[in-house]
Amino acid sequence: MDSPKISPENRISPEKKRIAIIPGDGIGQEVIPQAVKVIQASGADVELTDFDWGADRYLRDQTTVPAGGFATLARDFDAILVGAFGDPRVKTNIHAKEILLGMRFTMDLYANVRPVRLLDAALCPLKGIEPQDIDFVVIRENTEGVYTDAGGVFKQGTPDEIATQEDLNTRKGVERIIRYAFEYCRHNKKQDGSPRAKVLMCDKSNAMTHAGGLWQRAFKEVSAEYPHIAAQHMYVDALAMQMVRDPRQFDVIVTNNMFGDILTDLAAGLQGGLGMAASGNIHPGKTSMFEPVHGSAPPIAGKNVANPFGAILTAAMMLAHWGMRREAEKIEAAVLEAVREKKTTQDIGGPLGTREAGEWVASRVLSY
Ligand code: ATP
């Protein structure tokens, strides 16, 4: 098995970066334009190209991903900035599956990196928690697990119906995501500049013994290669409770696709809600995809109320990934200022609409 030398945020390249912009559906169409405004205000040397993939296009001509679409993204772009997919008019959600899961699987974007940071104490529902208390990252396996849709339904619609959903775990997939977590820990610092120091692997190996056993063995072997990083383990149920009781204890968490999905929604709650959470879908050295953690949120779509900060912080994460630290820092500082001054959408206590909050942040970024 090859062991890539990964430095997840180390690609510093002077040339212009090409970004594919795919707003998608629902609030994706509202928050991504704000993220784009902010990227432009930051002065980052980028070239942006819009893609219309999503429900509207699918309903128009039945296209989910145009022929050669993923190959084009991989060949012609350095990154993809995505909004969200999912539209009540497409009952099967086929376009979302083919575009989003297709991108993750076909482009092998195996590391879903979800930083969990508290910008302001007022955003956290827990008592007595300060921003420095919440600064961890969840590294979620992104190409395997139950999301591969292996399994099937037998005797559907009858009282004897049987449904199976396989949890697929490969040695290669498990080992590389665990190694990615250790490399992330090694190469990234906390917000306060202190080094990251521990990796916690989370599973349910007491009940799911086959898959859990593989995760346990791989974690033991890979962690032995990193003697200076503390290796810990927790069952997912215990971790969910601990995340609420004492989020200070976490640093880097690595887990499978489904546990990562669930835990990061819980973690988003600690940061001020889904509207505040950013993520990257990464394969080191290849075109990666960045998207806010939230979905298309149909109930609030088209009302100019969606919080654009998750998308804006996602854009900052993308720039930092390339080593554009100055630009990323300007964006993060402007979002922090917006939160402190209540220049935000209603979900986090401010009076502004999506557009107005995005424009406020963009104007602050321009002024730095
Ligand atoms: P998915 O399964 O695609 O991740 P979901 O159904 O779990 O999506 P979301 O679409 O992310 O959930 O949204 C759930 C709810 O969270 C929304 O209806 C909305 O109330 C709230 N929400 C999500 N994102 C935002 C946002 N950016 N701003 C404000 N509220 C949001």
Side-chain angles (χ1 to χ4, degrees):
M1 138 143 290
D2 60 342
S3 58
K5 288 287 161 278
I6 308 162
S7 174
E9 298 192 10
N10 72 347
R11 282 180 294 287
I12 301 171
S13 166
E15 81 267 16
K16 190 186 276 289
K17 297 295 181 188
R18 299 153 305 168
I19 309 174
I21 305 287
I22 316 184
D25 305 332
I27 64 170
Q29 295 187 3
E30 297 170 82
V31 297
I32 291 300
Q34 305 315 316
V36 165
K37 255 181 234 165
V38 172
I39 292 171
Q40 287 166 333
S42 78
D45 192 13
V46 293
E47 184 183 294
L48 310 174
T49 306
D50 291 323
F51 284 70
D52 66 353
W53 301 4
D56 287 342
R57 167 99 186 250
Y58 176 70
L59 290 168
R60 210 167 51 238
D61 63 14
Q62 271 70 59
T63 304
T64 55
V65 179
F70 292 138
T72 303
L73 291 177
R75 187 186 57 235
D76 298 341
F77 295 91
D78 296 295
I80 310 154
L81 181 62
V82 159
F85 298 97
D87 185 307
R89 293 172 301 168
V90 185
K91 298 271 177 279
T92 57
N93 216 21
I94 177 78
H95 71 297
K97 231 180 203 173
E98 291 194 5
I99 298 170
L100 198 60
L101 293 184
M103 228 181 274
R104 290 179 183 164
F105 292 165
T106 311
M107 300 175 76
D108 201 22
L109 305 176
Y110 70 85
N112 188 196
V113 179
R114 296 187 164 191
V116 184
R117 281 169 40 206
L118 179 62
L119 293 183
D120 190 85
L123 295 180
C124 186
L126 304 182
K127 285 189 290 239
I129 292 290
E130 295 299 324
Q132 65 272 18
D133 296 330
I134 300 184
D135 185 359
F136 62 92
V137 61
V138 179
I139 310 280
R140 164 191 174 192
E141 203 294 320
N142 215 21
T143 55
E144 301 192 344
V146 293
Y147 293 67
T148 54
D149 218 16
V153 184
F154 184 50
K155 298 185 181 176
Q156 188 171 354
T158 75
D160 297 324
E161 180 166 350
I162 298 167
T164 62
Q165 197 82 42
E166 301 287 338
D167 181 14
L168 191 128
N169 296 265
T170 67
R171 172 73 202 199
K172 175 185 158 188
V174 173
E175 188 176 319
R176 70 180 178 175
I177 195 66
I178 291 172
R179 181 164 283 111
Y180 186 95
F182 278 94
E183 289 291 332
Y184 186 96
C185 187
R186 185 153 84 165
H187 291 283
N188 288 275
K189 290 189 168 35
K190 292 189 175 182
Q191 269 316 96
D192 64 8
S194 64
R196 294 207 173 270
K198 53 183 177 183
V199 174
L200 183 153
M201 190 274 278
C202 154
D203 64 19
K204 186 65 187 166
S205 52
N206 49 350
M208 301 164 74
T209 54
H210 310 305
L214 171 55
W215 277 79
Q216 290 281 337
R217 289 191 301 279
F219 188 63
K220 196 164 172 218
E221 286 173 31
V222 175
S223 62
E225 296 171 25
Y226 298 86
H228 302 299
I229 297 175
Q232 295 182 328
H233 170 260
M234 257 187 216
Y235 295 124
V236 63
D237 41 353
L239 176 53
M241 185 188 67
Q242 289 298 330
M243 212 177 254
V244 175
R245 288 190 68 153
D246 184 14
R248 296 176 190 90
Q249 64 188 294
F250 299 114
D251 193 343
V252 178
I253 296 171
V254 62
T255 192
N256 72 16
N257 208 337
M258 185 168 70
F259 297 155
D261 191 4
I262 297 168
L263 289 173
T264 52
D265 264 32
L266 173 59
L270 303 177
Q271 296 171 272
L274 278 171
M276 294 300 293
S279 88
N281 298 263
I282 293 167
H283 185 127
K286 292 192 181 177
T287 302
S288 289
M289 185 264 276
F290 294 82
E291 56 172 341
V293 169
H294 64 74
S296 59
I300 61 165
K303 298 179 175 158
N304 196 39
V305 299
N307 184 346
F309 292 174
I312 290 171
L313 292 169
T314 296
M317 187 180 174
M318 177 177 71
L319 299 181
H321 178 74
W322 291 320
M324 294 183 181
R325 291 198 181 278
R326 176 82 196 104
E327 291 83 351
E329 278 164 13
K330 281 199 281 189
I331 295 173
E332 287 170 1
V335 172
L336 177 61
E337 219 183 314
V339 169
R340 287 189 179 149
E341 304 219 355
K342 293 232 176 307
K343 302 294 183 190
T344 73
T345 45
Q346 289 170 17
D347 56 307
I348 54 168
L352 301 185
T354 309
R355 253 186 327 274
E356 293 72 22
E359 276 158 13
W360 196 90
V361 169
S363 72
R364 291 309 297 149
V365 169
L366 262 179
S367 75
Y368 293 148

